[in-house]
Amino acid sequence: MAKNTLSSRFRKVDIDEFDENKFVDEQEEAAELQGPDGAEVESLLRQGDMMTAFHVALRNPPVNTKNAVVKERAQAIVLRVLTSFRSSEIETAVRSLDRNGVDLLMKYIYRGFEKPTENSSVILLQWHEKAFAVGGLGSIVRVLTARKTV
Amino acid sequence: MSLYNFGLEPLSCHAWNKDRTQIAISPNSNVVHIYQKSEKGWNKIHELTEHSGRITGIDWAPVSNRIVTCASDRNAYVWTLKEDAWKPTLVLVRINRAATCVKWSPQENKFALGSGAKLISVCYFEKENDWWLSKHIKKTICSTVLSLDWHPNNVLLAAGSADLHCRVFSAYIKDIEERPGPTPWGAKMPFGEMLLEHKDCGGWVHGISFSPSGDRLAWVSHNSSIGVADAPAGKEVTQLTVEHLPLLSVLFVSETEIVAAGHDCCPYQYSYKGPGNLQFVKKLDVPKQSSRSGTSAMQHFRNLDKKATTEEDQNELDTLHQNSITQLCIVEGPKSKVNKFSSVGLDGAMVVWDFKVLMGVINTKPGVPSRRKYVI
């Protein structure tokens, strides 16, 4: 028969949604608790205390939530800190991080690459070079495979 | 370390016979080749052609001399040697997706098969009807099973899967064996019981391995990390991030030493001494000492003209394997003190690594390559 006389609405059903063994990510947590404290970071930057601002900005990353607003806010704060560093100080800052910190920094760097602005890519590339020297290819792979993105 | 190249095709999997004089490999196709060792290398003696899909797993039972193969055509065959020819027997695995890995149990009375159908098929031989039957383990597995390993007690089975979890199941089949005693993983072990589920290994769990005693379980996952679960220590999990590309295969070579290899084309050694104490030991591939016998001026300028560079050929990697290592296998030594292990990779090469040689090379001072001035 050339014409399908029965309803073909079934073709629009996503059968994988009904699979009882479907893989689901873990649940998200309350959005307010996530994300670094913007005000604290600002005050530290004004005082000129880069290192502490850096560490505060990397604290409490919004990995457990899917709320885009929270993530954007955190990204903006971290980017602000990263751009206010001088090139010569980047290496010391990266060395002061532990392994998880380097992985987290890499996540923020790649997030920053997604929306390039005037000067951001240059600075981010410098950070990327130093972070790569410490973290190696593994840290980049972890950015790509992480289900909990920053 | 001896390297043998089996051709241009990647080697999907390999298995050794009992005395390591024969090796069964599959060159990324639906055929298994069996090679016999000779003085000059390896000679092909058999070809096993029954599968219609790409072969994804081979395992050779040393004592009973049977080979089990599984492929993406959703089938598995058990091969027995009759009058110098391998005869296949179909196994009813009842899966509706490709099989991904297969392993004989330590006592060789059953084998486990992982598949893309989100289940593990444990198959055993039923004498009355003279065929292979299978039982399925499906509980909570949400995606393809990528790797399997048996516990030495022949009952517990560890599975790493693409849903980022690694699990330990009981594969106790009461028709063919007695009830096992309690282990540090648990006491009650009916078929399909899950004794450990570690969520969020970070990435697809490509390789998994029990320690020689069975008390510890190591796995490698796609987010470039290696993890160990310690049963006597309350099943505590220790994870270590790796600075290299993801590892694909992992092997315990003693109760505390672990060897893992993967996309970095080189095996690495790790040491696990207790919960929280998992450390990188060393890289097991000693880089080639590039023999730079003096370059004549003529050659120097010829290189400059042809390739616009005076450097030597840099197309090869430093390591023995020129492409990712896909599988590691014990060659010599009891599980508790492995002397030699083999690796196969996407470059079609099989390398046998010898710990005695590795110890010797690392202990001697590397010689300084002699440099001659240009000879005109």
Side-chain angles (χ1 to χ4, degrees):
Chain A
M1 286 204 287
K3 185 162 169 161
N4 184 4
T5 50
L6 298 169
S7 161
S8 52
R9 238 179 355 161
F10 69 90
R11 296 189 191 279
K12 298 205 178 85
V13 172
D14 180 9
I15 192 153
D16 284 330
E17 290 291 320
F18 297 102
D19 185 9
E20 59 226 10
N21 256 356
K22 186 174 136 78
F23 176 76
V24 282
D25 277 313
E26 285 175 15
Q27 303 308 312
E28 58 176 82
E29 294 171 8
E32 304 85 43
L33 299 170
Q34 304 291 325
D37 191 352
E40 193 180 340
V41 171
E42 277 300 317
S43 68
L44 284 165
L45 282 178
R46 266 196 297 268
Q47 288 165 23
D49 190 353
M50 303 295 207
M51 283 298 263
T52 324
F54 180 59
H55 284 264
V56 172
L58 287 181
R59 226 186 282 158
N60 221 357
V63 286
N64 278 332
T65 174
K66 293 216 171 51
N67 188 330
V69 171
V70 173
K71 289 188 191 269
E72 282 296 328
R73 194 164 51 89
Q75 172 62 26
I77 295 171
V78 173
L79 196 56
R80 172 108 178 72
V81 175
L82 294 185
T83 44
S84 39
F85 261 79
R86 275 193 294 269
S87 308
S88 45
E89 292 169 354
I90 294 181
E91 189 162 349
T92 21
V94 171
R95 280 193 197 287
S96 71
L97 290 174
D98 64 342
R99 265 203 159 142
N100 289 340
V102 174
D103 286 347
L104 183 60
L105 177 63
M106 265 302 189
K107 281 189 190 172
Y108 276 117
I109 291 174
Y110 274 93
R111 193 85 207 283
F113 281 145
E114 282 170 33
K115 296 203 175 82
T117 63
E118 279 282 329
N119 247 343
S120 67
S121 288
V122 174
I123 316 267
L124 285 176
L125 279 171
Q126 288 176 331
W127 277 96
H128 185 278
E129 186 192 352
K130 299 288 183 264
F132 175 65
V134 177
L137 289 163
S139 61
I140 301 182
V141 173
R142 274 184 285 282
V143 173
L144 297 171
T145 56
R147 288 203 76 83
K148 297 185 184 167
T149 54
V150 92
Chain B
M1 270 76 73
S2 63
L3 180 148
Y4 187 78
N5 207 303
F6 283 101
L8 291 171
E9 296 296 325
L11 295 179
S12 331
C13 40
H14 73 305
W16 295 91
N17 72 340
K18 181 170 184 186
D19 50 8
R20 308 327 196 197
T21 52
Q22 292 182 15
I23 186 172
I25 57 153
S26 176
N28 207 34
S29 70
N30 60 344
V31 179
V32 175
H33 298 303
I34 298 187
Y35 285 79
Q36 169 90 36
K37 193 167 176 60
S38 67
E39 309 84 39
K40 277 182 253 150
W42 296 84
N43 302 325
K44 187 173 3 175
I45 52 172
H46 290 121
E47 251 188 46
L48 276 48
T49 56
E50 193 76 19
H51 280 290
S52 53
R54 186 184 74 95
I55 296 196
T56 49
I58 307 178
D59 201 16
W60 199 324
V63 173
S64 53
N65 205 33
R66 287 178 297 191
I67 299 180
V68 62
T69 56
C70 71
S72 58
D73 59 1
R74 304 162 300 172
N75 283 335
Y77 288 94
V78 172
W79 304 77
T80 32
L81 190 62
K82 285 196 179 83
E83 295 142 16
D84 205 33
W86 288 92
K87 297 272 182 287
T89 314
L90 178 64
V91 178
L92 297 157
V93 279
R94 299 179 289 126
I95 53 179
N96 57 4
R97 292 287 186 279
T100 51
C101 46
V102 69
K103 269 257 165 88
W104 280 109
S105 70
Q107 285 167 22
E108 299 167 22
N109 49 1
K110 53 186 174 173
F111 63 86
L113 182 97
S115 72
K118 305 193 261 199
L119 55 84
I120 303 171
S121 191
V122 180
C123 307
Y124 60 101
F125 191 67
E126 208 204 2
K127 278 205 179 51
E128 293 158 15
N129 296 2
D130 194 33
W131 62 358
W132 288 84
L133 282 184
S134 66
K135 288 181 108 175
H136 286 173
I137 299 177
K138 278 197 240 203
K139 246 193 234 181
T140 73
I141 302 180
C142 292
S143 188
T144 309
V145 175
L146 293 172
S147 51
L148 290 171
D149 195 31
W150 285 94
H151 187 282
N153 75 354
N154 208 55
V155 170
L156 296 179
L157 182 65
S161 93
D163 61 357
L164 322 180
H165 291 16
C166 81
R167 303 177 173 90
V168 174
F169 289 104
S170 158
Y172 165 62
I173 298 188
K174 62 180 195 298
D175 298 331
I176 55 166
E177 57 193 350
E178 295 153 18
R179 187 171 268 155
T183 66
W185 296 100
K188 282 189 156 280
M189 292 179 263
F191 182 82
E193 181 78 8
M194 189 162 63
L195 297 153
L196 168 78
E197 181 180 34
H198 181 64
K199 299 183 209 256
D200 204 15
C201 300
W204 305 321
V205 182
H206 289 295
I208 200 161
S209 171
F210 268 111
S211 68
S213 65
D215 285 344
R216 295 169 183 160
L217 181 67
W219 63 84
V220 282
S221 65
H222 199 70
N223 70 339
S224 291
S225 74
I226 176 169
V228 179
D230 200 335
K235 298 189 191 167
E236 190 179 321
V237 172
T238 313
Q239 273 183 319
L240 177 70
T241 52
V242 167
E243 280 142 21
H244 319 288
L245 292 175
L247 299 163
L248 290 174
S249 183
V250 67
L251 201 61
F252 263 95
V253 291
S254 79
E255 192 62 32
T256 54
E257 304 305 304
I258 302 172
V259 168
H263 288 295
D264 247 351
C265 321
C266 168
Y268 296 99
Q269 186 180 338
Y270 294 88
S271 179
Y272 178 76
K273 296 214 170 70
N277 192 345
L278 176 59
Q279 283 165 6
F280 172 66
V281 174
K282 59 177 184 272
K283 191 168 154 172
L284 288 175
D285 198 331
V286 183
K288 283 197 281 257
Q289 303 262 323
S290 54
S291 50
R292 302 210 33 188
S293 52
T295 325
S296 70
M298 183 64 164
Q299 267 188 326
H300 178 87
F301 288 110
R302 198 183 285 147
N303 271 343
L304 203 54
D305 184 40
K306 259 203 273 184
K307 301 187 206 172
T309 171
T310 51
E311 286 169 4
E312 304 217 334
D313 187 1
Q314 298 238 319
N315 283 339
E316 285 190 359
L317 287 179
D318 237 354
T319 52
L320 274 173
H321 272 287
Q322 296 298 305
N323 208 327
S324 314
I325 294 177
T326 49
Q327 194 183 15
L328 295 171
C329 194
I330 298 176
V331 171
E332 193 187 283
K335 250 196 135 182
S336 48
K337 198 168 177 349
V338 173
N339 289 328
K340 294 190 194 171
F341 63 95
S342 63
S343 61
V344 290
L346 298 180
D347 53 351
M350 186 268 302
V351 177
V352 175
W353 304 85
D354 191 340
F355 272 114
K356 289 192 214 91
V357 173
L358 286 167
M359 289 298 118
V361 171
I362 287 162
N363 284 338
T364 57
K365 270 203 177 140
V368 177
S370 61
R371 295 221 213 170
R372 277 168 56 196
K373 298 271 188 214
Y374 294 136
V375 172
I376 299 180

